[in-house]
Amino acid sequence: MVSIELTQGLSIGLARPLFLLALPLCTAAVWALIYRATSGAASATSRRWLLLARVAVIALVVVSAAGPYTAQSRETAGDPRVTMLVDRSDSMAVTPNVADRLTESIESAGVSVRRVPVGANASSPIGDAVAANVRENGRVVLVSDGRVTSGQSLREAAALARSVNASVSTVSLEPRTRERYVTVEGPEKASLGVENRFAARVDGVGPNTSATITVRVDGEPVLERTANDAPTTIPFNQTFESTGSHTITAEIDVTDRFVANDVYRKTVRVVERPEILYVSPGDYPFREYLGELYDVTTAEQVPENLSPYYAVVVQDAPAGSIGNVDRLQEFVIDGGGLLVVGGLNAFAGGDYRGSEIASMLPVSVGEGQRRATNIVLAVDVSGSAEEGMRIQKSAALSVLGQLGDENEVGLVAFNYQAYRVSGIEPLSQNRGELQDKIRRLRAGGATDIASGISGAAELLDDRTGTIILISDGGDNPERAAEIASRLSERGIRVITVGAGERVNEETLRTIAGAGEGSYFRATDTTRLGILFGGAGSPGGSGLVVLDRNAFVTSGVTLTASPAAFNAVSVRPGANFLVAGSDGQPAIATWRYGLGRVATVTAYGEEGTLDGLLRDPDSLLLTRTTNYAIGDPERKATGIVGLPDTRVGVPTTVTYRSQTRPEIGNLSFRRVGEETYRATLTPRETGYFRVANATYAANYPEEYAAFGPAPALESLVEETGGREFTAGQGAQIARFAAKRARGVRPVRTDWTWLSLLAGLLVFTAEVSYRRLQVRRRKTTSDGGLP
């Protein structure tokens, strides 16, 4: 098919242009018949006119075979029909049934409705249903709470709907029936004799009511409380005095819609305290702190035999007094942990520079010069970001302001594709130009974060560097995370900054995690100054968490103000987790061989850890030590992993042994050296035993959340739909009619006109020659066909 635009909104074309190839062949054949294959008295002029007439006829016939048409843009009413997806799963039982009334209201306004039931009982494949029912330029109305329990997510479904220009609208349903459910949060593994913190949580929807919650540990009551509001979180501490599997059961006594979610079960696997070696020439309070949590052996130097230990802690020790560093290096490479704590006699004060111990650490001794980094700002200018564009620009300018002049910075903007705004140049030369270009960005179009990341990577070309993505996260993270992961292998890190009216932090955290970067809120961009040589937080006196996604820093609150820092700089490839207010490294980690190494380079006036040993800051030290220790059961045999699950959801049994285990009907597969795994799926709730381990099977996900899911709002925004109430059937009909109406090309086929014109030319030519014969101006034996 080919076409040519004559004017705006009007074009002509041929549906089957290949038929035009027949025109020269047919023309040659007619010429041969007239000039070569005939004889007679016809004059040259007669032959010439006959040739022209027959060629005209052939041309018109060939053009008609090629399918001539015109296309003109006209406003059409379209087909405003609506596909209504009605959620029939159990979680909808707390909301009023409005589907029948809504259907009648829409159809009474002249718009037909096709109803499709979705889900049943404990199954809510809402995303699959949306994906299966979107049509090009179609309209879907979703009557659901959006609580997906199986199949693809609503974000994935939204991406598909957007690709075919289909809108998905929702009907807001507020829960009217009372429903409460209970959960328990806390660690899966605990050390023997160490106090651990747990929390029982009562949540739900509907009218307020009192719910009595009872918590039992190994069947014995440890807590009973009344919760009058939802949500209510009740923390409690528990110390386990024996190893093995222990159970925590929380139960609520309440009158509500479902009883299946009134009991929650959790197992805690208690292991012996990990053995760690503490090496220090001095006597520090940190040794006593470690002794409360771990089985600690104290030594002045690292010995030859480190096999009993999970980690080695070295505090304020000069390089020459640490001991057998060669053995320590082998220990870490083989999977052991190392925590080096600074002080007056460590790092620069302990002659670490050039020593064997220094090669293992995630920091270099001495304050490093600021390194120039290649940075690309990728700013979301899509339609989903339009309402928060002011915030996006402000965040982008704030990020730019935190970057030191030694960096080289470029800029791309993106919606459904990436746009190069500014190449990578030294920030000292183009800071003002970048600021101006950021201020002039305009929003519009669909969102494709993956395209934005790819565009930023293209700007970096073959250079290593960092992409700082500034977005509201209004997109499916999977493809973007996949690209970010591939870029991390090339030495390109992806940092995300959440900015906009409504930010999907989960999406941005996922992308940052895949890209080995960090997620920052728009209000936290001052932390970027520490990472990239900017101003940081001048005048501050505390510690700054740079990456809250890391195990060490997640959920940590810091109030201490260390008096001193060792003069170190974080090495490329290491994780810079905590800094002083002026950017001095405080906590850094990295992997060394199979092991883990962490450094603490902040300390008090006398070389102690001072305020870091007090609550709540002490959690940072515990987490850092646990990071170095790693898996506290990595030296154990038998079942070392059996997570809790829900009914119908598989869980994995991890078994460590020299030979393949045989336990019941489980089929184990080898996944590593002396490591085997098998899966099992519980069919009912309760505690279940596998060999010497216990796991819990809880109520289905369907009963773990009620009311509208936050993902519904994103679904509507990303697909151009609207949120309606149950009483707005007429408005839904008008919206559908408006969406269906539009300016579309209307094609008119002109095949008949070409055939008619050919017939008229042929008839005129034959009639003219017959008339000439009758008038005796020519003869019938002229030899013309």
Side-chain angles (χ1 to χ4, degrees):
M1 182 180 295
V2 296
S3 65
I4 299 174
E5 187 172 0
L6 298 179
T7 62
Q8 186 174 3
L10 176 63
S11 61
I12 62 172
L14 297 173
R16 299 173 294 276
L18 291 179
F19 277 94
L20 295 180
L21 297 176
L23 182 58
L25 298 177
C26 294
T27 301
V30 170
W31 179 86
L33 285 173
I34 294 176
Y35 284 97
R36 298 294 185 187
T38 61
S39 62
S43 65
T45 301
S46 298
R47 291 176 187 271
R48 189 162 48 251
W49 281 109
L50 177 61
L51 176 63
L52 291 174
R54 293 298 167 86
V55 168
V57 172
I58 291 171
L60 289 168
V61 171
V62 170
V63 168
S64 67
Y69 68 87
T70 59
Q72 187 169 13
S73 297
R74 298 176 185 171
E75 185 175 74
T76 61
D79 182 5
R81 75 178 63 185
V82 166
T83 298
M84 182 185 294
L85 306 182
V86 183
D87 190 350
R88 299 295 189 191
S89 64
D90 282 352
S91 63
M92 291 294 291
V94 300
T95 61
N97 187 350
V98 301
D100 292 339
R101 177 163 55 92
L102 193 60
T103 300
E104 182 180 350
S105 178
I106 296 172
E107 291 183 334
S108 65
V111 174
S112 63
V113 177
R114 181 174 72 93
R115 280 178 56 169
V116 180
V118 178
N121 301 324
S123 176
S124 298
I126 310 300
D128 287 348
V130 172
N133 286 277
V134 293
R135 300 290 183 268
E136 187 173 3
N137 299 316
R139 291 148 299 282
V140 172
V141 174
L142 181 60
V143 183
S144 170
D145 57 7
R147 301 288 178 177
V148 178
T149 61
S150 62
Q152 61 185 297
S153 68
L154 291 182
R155 284 199 170 274
E156 293 171 311
L160 177 61
R162 193 170 60 240
S163 69
V164 296
N165 195 35
S167 67
V168 182
S169 298
T170 60
V171 177
S172 178
L173 300 172
E174 290 301 322
R176 295 182 181 177
T177 302
R178 180 185 299 116
E179 177 55 33
R180 298 289 184 270
Y181 58 95
V182 62
T183 56
V184 177
E185 299 171 351
E188 296 179 0
K189 292 184 179 181
S191 295
L192 182 67
V194 176
E195 187 177 68
N196 291 271
R197 192 172 184 82
F198 298 88
R201 179 181 173 89
V202 180
D203 209 338
V205 295
N208 283 337
T209 187
S210 61
T212 301
I213 180 170
T214 303
V215 177
R216 294 179 173 84
V217 176
D218 296 330
E220 296 296 324
V222 297
L223 181 150
E224 184 172 318
R225 194 81 54 83
T226 298
N228 295 313
D229 301 315
T232 295
T233 300
I234 304 172
F236 62 97
N237 297 329
Q238 181 63 37
T239 303
F240 298 98
E241 302 298 340
S242 63
T243 59
S245 296
H246 293 260
T247 63
I248 300 177
T249 306
E251 183 174 1
I252 53 175
D253 183 7
V254 65
T255 302
D256 60 359
R257 177 64 177 80
F258 298 106
V259 298
N261 53 10
D262 291 349
V263 179
Y264 190 89
R265 301 169 176 86
K266 178 178 179 58
T267 61
V268 181
R269 188 170 175 83
V270 179
V271 299
E272 294 284 356
R273 293 190 183 194
E275 279 193 72
I276 64 174
L277 176 68
Y278 178 82
V279 177
S280 178
D283 185 15
Y284 294 101
F286 188 42
R287 165 63 181 82
E288 297 177 12
Y289 177 83
L290 293 173
E292 296 175 2
L293 303 174
Y294 313 101
D295 188 355
V296 181
T297 298
T298 302
E300 292 185 0
Q301 291 187 331
V302 174
E304 175 67 26
N305 183 17
L306 294 175
S307 59
Y309 308 112
Y310 283 81
V312 175
V313 177
V314 177
Q315 182 173 12
D316 199 23
S321 68
I322 292 176
N324 196 335
V325 178
D326 288 340
R327 180 67 190 95
L328 179 61
Q329 189 173 42
E330 293 175 8
F331 169 77
V332 176
I333 290 175
D334 290 340
L338 171 64
L339 171 60
V340 177
V341 181
L344 298 171
N345 304 304
F347 296 100
D351 295 325
Y352 280 22
R353 188 191 297 273
S355 67
E356 292 181 79
I357 186 70
S359 65
M360 304 168 60
L361 304 180
V363 295
S364 299
V365 178
E367 294 183 359
Q369 296 295 320
R370 290 181 173 179
R371 297 187 304 272
T373 304
N374 300 309
I375 300 172
V376 177
L377 303 183
V379 183
D380 185 352
V381 295
S382 65
S384 70
E386 188 167 6
E387 292 182 6
M389 199 61 208
R390 178 182 56 82
I391 302 175
Q392 306 267 77
K393 291 180 182 180
S394 176
L397 291 170
S398 175
V399 168
L400 188 64
Q402 296 302 319
L403 305 181
D405 282 345
E406 69 278 5
N407 297 295
E408 298 197 1
V409 182
L411 174 65
V412 299
F414 70 92
N415 45 31
Y416 60 89
Q417 61 183 358
Y419 308 92
R420 175 173 173 161
V421 179
S422 178
I424 298 176
E425 298 178 9
L427 190 56
S428 58
Q429 301 174 13
N430 74 338
R431 185 183 294 272
E433 181 182 350
L434 283 174
Q435 289 172 337
D436 180 61
K437 289 181 176 180
I438 289 171
R439 291 188 183 100
R440 290 191 283 117
L441 292 175
R442 296 291 181 268
T447 310
D448 189 346
I449 293 177
S451 292
I453 296 175
S454 296
E458 288 178 11
L459 196 60
L460 283 167
D461 197 16
D462 58 352
R463 292 169 284 199
T464 59
T466 299
I467 296 171
I468 302 180
L469 176 76
I470 302 167
S471 172
D472 61 359
D475 192 19
N476 184 347
E478 289 189 2
R479 184 164 160 263
E482 180 182 343
I483 294 173
S485 178
R486 289 201 302 267
L487 290 176
S488 69
E489 297 172 1
R490 289 174 41 194
I492 298 175
R493 179 172 50 163
V494 178
I495 290 174
T496 59
V497 177
E501 290 288 338
R502 289 172 292 275
V503 177
N504 190 315
E505 294 192 340
E506 182 180 353
T507 291
L508 296 175
R509 289 183 194 278
T510 299
I511 296 170
E516 295 188 357
S518 304
Y519 166 71
F520 298 91
R521 294 188 173 96
T523 54
D524 293 339
T525 54
T526 52
R527 290 185 283 163
L528 290 170
I530 296 174
L531 290 174
F532 297 106
S537 303
S541 60
L543 296 173
V544 180
V545 175
L546 301 180
D547 185 356
R548 293 195 176 278
N549 300 325
F551 166 78
V552 171
T553 53
S554 176
V556 167
T557 300
L558 298 180
T559 60
S561 298
F565 294 83
N566 290 108
V568 297
S569 59
V570 179
R571 286 184 169 177
N575 303 306
F576 191 179
L577 301 182
V578 181
S581 58
D582 290 330
Q584 315 97 313
I587 304 285
T589 64
W590 75 352
R591 298 299 297 265
Y592 188 80
L594 297 177
R596 306 175 182 211
V597 181
T599 54
V600 178
T601 49
Y603 57 95
E605 292 181 353
E606 298 179 358
T608 69
L609 291 177
D610 199 19
L612 287 172
L613 289 172
R614 293 191 291 269
D615 196 41
D617 300 71
S618 60
L619 179 60
L620 178 66
L621 295 180
T622 303
R623 290 276 185 82
T624 305
T625 308
N626 286 341
Y627 168 84
I629 290 172
D631 182 3
E633 286 191 290
R634 69 173 181 268
K635 299 183 180 185
T637 58
I639 293 179
V640 294
L642 183 55
D644 294 339
T645 185
R646 294 186 181 275
V647 171
V649 179
T651 187
T652 301
V653 184
T654 302
Y655 197 98
R656 192 171 290 125
S657 171
Q658 294 182 351
T659 59
R660 189 184 304 273
E662 296 183 3
I663 302 176
N665 297 324
L666 295 179
S667 177
F668 283 89
R669 66 190 185 282
R670 183 172 179 173
V671 296
E673 185 178 357
E674 298 183 357
T675 304
Y676 299 85
R677 285 181 182 157
T679 58
L680 55 86
T681 304
R683 298 302 175 190
E684 59 183 356
T685 60
Y687 291 108
F688 300 94
R689 194 134 181 107
V690 178
N692 63 342
T694 302
Y695 75 95
N698 282 296
Y699 53 82
E701 188 73 25
E702 182 72 21
Y703 310 107
F706 297 86
L712 286 177
E713 187 175 346
S714 297
L715 176 67
V716 170
E717 288 182 358
E718 293 177 25
T719 62
R722 280 183 54 188
E723 182 179 339
F724 297 97
T725 64
Q728 291 183 310
Q731 287 88 332
I732 293 175
R734 286 197 295 270
F735 176 75
K738 182 179 178 181
R739 288 276 303 188
R741 187 183 304 114
V743 176
R744 296 181 175 85
V746 178
R747 203 165 91 171
T748 304
D749 192 342
W750 296 104
T751 299
W752 65 272
L753 183 60
S754 297
L755 288 174
L756 178 61
L759 179 61
L760 292 175
V761 172
F762 179 77
T763 302
E765 182 269 323
V766 172
S767 299
Y768 175 76
R769 285 201 293 131
R770 292 291 179 264
L771 183 62
Q772 290 294 82
V773 171
R774 287 178 178 274
R775 291 180 177 179
R776 300 183 184 277
K777 290 186 178 182
T778 186
T779 62
S780 59
D781 59 351
L784 297 178

